[in-house]
């Protein structure tokens, strides 16, 4: 199992979660029902907490980390991910907050204290600068990421579809092999 404690704190894994054997989930990490953590993803909750909601997926080669608590910043920067979120391949998430039904495109970097509200799409390869708060219902693109337009109805529906698709795939991995 790819679970490791840190200073006596163990990850909490809820029901029907798929953790690929090559993933690393360390310390103060909580993963909600029906979520999935894919190949070579790292969730390192050593100096702060990582919380992933239900029905979310963290895809291959993604790095999830946090910033420590300090006198200047008593809460530090935990990593909080909502429900029905798709985190694409090779994303870096560091001490940020991501709402429900979001999609973070492949190779994106989301920095400390970023707040991404519900129903946002961040295009592949984008960089969201520290402390930025995005607007719900928008597509963000670039380095640094900027809002380029509102999401259309098809794209808004895709946010939930993407997470549900990964739930179906993880369910196939959880079935006994015949």
């Amino acid at each position: 199992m790819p679970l490791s404690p840190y200073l006596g704190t163990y990850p909490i894994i809820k029901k029907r979660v798929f953790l690929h054997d090559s993933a690393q989930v360390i310390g103060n990490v909580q993963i909600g029902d029906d979520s999935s953590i894919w190949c070579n993803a790292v969730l390192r909750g050593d100096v702060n907490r990582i919380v992933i909601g239900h029905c979310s997926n963290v895809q291959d080669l993604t790095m999830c980390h946090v910033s420590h608590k300090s006198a200047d910043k008593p809460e530090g920067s935990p990593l909080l991910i909502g429900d029905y979120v798709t985190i694409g391949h090779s994303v870096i998430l560091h001490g940020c907050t991501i709402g429900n039904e979001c999609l973070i495109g492949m190779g994106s970097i989301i920095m400390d204290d970023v707040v991404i509200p519900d129903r946002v799409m961040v295009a592949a390869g984008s960089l969201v600068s520290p402390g930025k708060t995005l607007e719900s219902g928008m597509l963000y693109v670039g380095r640094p990421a900027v809002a380029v337009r509102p999401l259309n109805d098809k794209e808004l529906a895709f946010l939930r579809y993407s997470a549900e698709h990964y739930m179906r795939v993880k369910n196939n991995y959880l079935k006994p092999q015949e």
Side-chain angles (χ1 to χ4, degrees), residues 106-122:
M106 295 181 283
S108 293
I109 300 172
I110 315 296
M111 300 295 294
D112 280 8
D113 305 316
V114 167
V115 176
I116 299 177
D118 297 349
R119 307 187 91 198
V120 169
M121 186 180 293
V122 176

Side-chain angles (χ1 to χ4, degrees), residues 68-91:
H68 70 282
K69 300 173 183 179
S70 67
D72 292 340
K73 200 170 181 185
E75 295 304 311
S77 297
L79 174 57
L80 309 173
I81 299 173
D83 303 329
Y84 295 95
V85 174
T86 295
I87 306 297
H89 308 292
S90 296
V91 168

Side-chain angles (χ1 to χ4, degrees), residues 35-46:
S35 288
S36 55
I37 310 300
W38 294 91
C39 309
N40 295 300
V42 175
L43 284 68
R44 186 159 57 95
D46 50 6

Side-chain angles (χ1 to χ4, degrees), residues 41-163:
V42 175
L43 284 68
R44 186 159 57 95
D46 50 6
V47 297
N48 211 323
R49 65 194 166 104
I50 297 174
V51 178
I52 298 174
H54 66 269
C55 307
S56 291
N57 60 87
V58 177
Q59 296 176 17
D60 313 59
L61 300 170
T62 289
M63 176 63 203
C64 299
H65 197 228
V66 292
S67 288
H68 70 282
K69 300 173 183 179
S70 67
D72 292 340
K73 200 170 181 185
E75 295 304 311
S77 297
L79 174 57
L80 309 173
I81 299 173
D83 303 329
Y84 295 95
V85 174
T86 295
I87 306 297
H89 308 292
S90 296
V91 168
I92 298 173
L93 300 177
H94 204 280
C96 57
T97 299
I98 300 173
N100 302 317
E101 292 188 21
C102 291
L103 186 146
I104 309 301
M106 295 181 283
S108 293
I109 300 172
I110 315 296
M111 300 295 294
D112 280 8
D113 305 316
V114 167
V115 176
I116 299 177
D118 297 349
R119 307 187 91 198
V120 169
M121 186 180 293
V122 176
S126 295
L127 168 66
V128 183
S129 303
K132 188 167 186 174
T133 297
L134 306 188
E135 181 183 346
S136 182
M138 298 296 288
L139 170 63
Y140 285 82
V141 177
R143 288 184 176 241
V146 295
V148 294
R149 63 174 171 77
L151 295 170
N152 62 42
D153 290 342
K154 186 176 180 180
E155 291 164 331
L156 287 167
F158 182 77
L159 297 173
R160 180 78 172 229
Y161 169 84
S162 178

